[in-house]
Amino acid sequence: MKKLTTLSSVLALCAGAAAADGILNVYNWSDYIAEDTIAKFEAETGISVNYDVFDSNEVLEAKMLTGASGYDVVVPSIEFMARQAQAGVFAEIDKAALSNYGNLDQGILDIIAVNDPGNTHGVPYMMFTTGIGYNVKDVAARIDADKIGSWDMIFDPETVAKLADCGVAVLDSPSEIMAPALNYLGLDPNSEDKGDLQKATDLLMSVRAHIRYFHSSQYINDLANGDICVAVGYSGDVLQARDRAAEAGQGVEVAYAIPKEGGQVGFDMLAVPDDAPNPENALKFINFILQPQIAADITNYVYYANPNTAATEFVVPEVAGDPGIYPPADVAAKLFSLKPHSPRFDRSLTRAWTAIKTGQ
Ligand code: N2P
């Protein structure tokens, strides 16, 4: 018995040592990976993954700027990653360790390089638009057809007032709501002008009473269950709500619109914190994600477009042909992307956002 105990404790120690070498700590957006991606990575590499989720860049940024997050891979949007990289938060990506890097679309890498010169600090993961998810029947019963799929559903007091009773939700994301508000007013969505920020703040204040809540992931289930009828949300999340509604079979029909006035297109990046405990495993994970079939599996599951050219042939036709996931050229022409904020503008924006949320 004694011997057995000794043997098993030795084995346990070995297993412990192996696990210490074989760990990866991932911090990703909620609802942003296929069901089997992590299991496949663990099976292929023997690395065991701790997987945590967040739903806003601000939450991730606070962790990154504090440091010692313990994460090996995180997923900031490019405009947030750019300034975090400037603060020295991320390691340089060793592209020589990524045999699948060549699968990435060079055109997309070039766009990203505007904010991450040389594509030094991140590898693009998925792309999204920010638009309007809505309950088809509830909305049709309340507003004119020509208002459906317009930012009027959020920013025109008269229109949003008609939707308030069935529930309007807005992302708790200052930059991603202020930008379309500015755009709606005919201003530059990336303006850092104080007067422009005041105009956009006034616009949001004028509709504030009709907004039920600000949250960046709750709307998926609420749309699917018919508990709200409009949400400013992320493309794939709204499309996941559409599927959940259809599966529930309760007659709720959800649709996604990239508003006709234009909306934000964004890029989320795989990045490795400078103090990551397992940086080699981080690169193994990134290289794994860059496999065409793996990237396509994620797109097919979460309804976000990936930047992997070699994955295209594995994206199923319903997804590849969905204009909410792969916007057609005329819609794409109206999309805008966000630039990194200066710290000064960011402070004003945070103050304005608090005022908007509290309605004061
Ligand atoms: C996933 C949201 C990802 C798009 N739920 C926003 N970066």
Side-chain angles (χ1 to χ4, degrees), residues 29-32 77 128 176 234 237 268 304:
W29 294 81
S30 48
D31 299 293
Y32 215 27
S77 299
F128 63 94
E176 288 169 305
Y234 301 120
D237 289 14
D268 289 326
Y304 288 96

Side-chain angles (χ1 to χ4, degrees), residues 8-51:
S8 52
S9 39
V10 167
L11 281 177
L13 270 176
C14 290
D21 290 342
I23 285 179
L24 177 75
N25 302 303
V26 177
Y27 197 39
N28 193 7
W29 294 81
S30 48
D31 299 293
Y32 215 27
I33 198 157
E35 318 179 82
D36 57 358
T37 313
I38 296 298
K40 279 188 174 163
F41 175 74
E42 290 180 322
E44 193 176 299
T45 61
I47 295 168
S48 69
V49 177
N50 300 313
Y51 190 83

Side-chain angles (χ1 to χ4, degrees), residues 286-357:
I286 293 172
N287 202 41
F288 177 81
I289 296 288
L290 290 174
Q291 290 180 65
Q293 185 68 61
I294 297 296
D297 287 349
I298 298 172
T299 292
N300 289 334
Y301 192 76
V302 297
Y303 301 147
Y304 288 96
N306 67 69
N308 190 316
T309 310
T312 308
E313 62 176 301
F314 302 113
V315 175
V316 297
E318 309 90 86
V319 170
D322 190 321
I325 307 174
Y326 291 91
D330 57 323
V331 177
K334 290 203 155 187
L335 297 173
F336 52 82
S337 55
L338 301 188
K339 298 191 177 124
H341 290 152
S342 66
R344 190 162 160 228
F345 178 76
D346 209 48
R347 281 193 293 276
S348 310
L349 179 62
T350 305
R351 261 197 304 278
W353 193 247
T354 306
I356 291 161
K357 283 206 293 181

